[in-house]
Amino acid sequence: TSRDQTMVGQILQSEIETLRLMTWHEISDLPETEAFQIETEFDQTIGDRFTCIRRIEDARPGVEIKTVVLEVTWTTTNGAHRELAYETRIARNGINDYYYRSL
């Protein structure tokens, strides 16, 4: 369970860093809800164990800030369902931060 939790944290952090490298227009063009792929630096055998979803929405109408939620769900070796999510806000001018949210 600890290894899974660590791996999921690394998957989420990797996706956060990928988003930080994108321009405002690239972020704005992403679908509101989409599965995201686990980066190739992670072992290919873990890909089918984790479900990764990205949700993007306007933080407030008329303000150029997006709220991004990245969520990974998986089933542990003993059959327990687990979820971990990161949430970040990305502004047109690049101000962003993230915090962890365990579900």
Side-chain angles (χ1 to χ4, degrees):
T1 301
S2 295
R3 288 182 190 159
D4 285 348
Q5 189 87 10
T6 299
M7 179 63 71
V8 170
Q10 292 170 342
I11 290 167
L12 290 168
Q13 185 64 41
S14 178
E15 183 65 12
I16 289 281
E17 297 305 325
T18 298
L19 292 170
R20 286 185 180 183
L21 294 173
M22 292 179 155
T23 67
W24 175 253
H25 295 292
E26 289 172 327
I27 295 287
S28 297
D29 288 343
L30 290 171
E32 285 184 13
T33 301
E34 178 179 48
F36 67 89
Q37 298 298 314
I38 295 174
E39 294 295 328
T40 56
E41 64 262 16
F42 296 105
D43 183 0
Q44 294 297 323
T45 62
I46 67 166
D48 59 346
R49 293 187 53 228
F50 301 101
T51 302
C52 308
I53 302 292
R54 178 181 54 238
R55 292 181 184 80
I56 300 175
E57 61 184 36
D58 291 333
R60 283 191 233 157
V63 177
E64 292 182 316
I65 299 175
K66 302 279 187 187
T67 298
V68 179
V69 177
L70 305 175
E71 181 179 291
V72 176
T73 59
W74 73 99
T75 302
T76 64
T77 55
N78 65 359
H81 180 75
R82 303 282 294 161
E83 299 178 28
L84 183 65
Y86 282 8
E87 184 171 312
T88 189
R89 291 197 172 82
I90 300 175
R92 181 179 183 97
N93 295 319
I95 301 169
N96 63 67
D97 202 355
Y98 64 92
Y99 58 91
Y100 310 116
R101 185 176 57 143
S102 293
L103 303 173

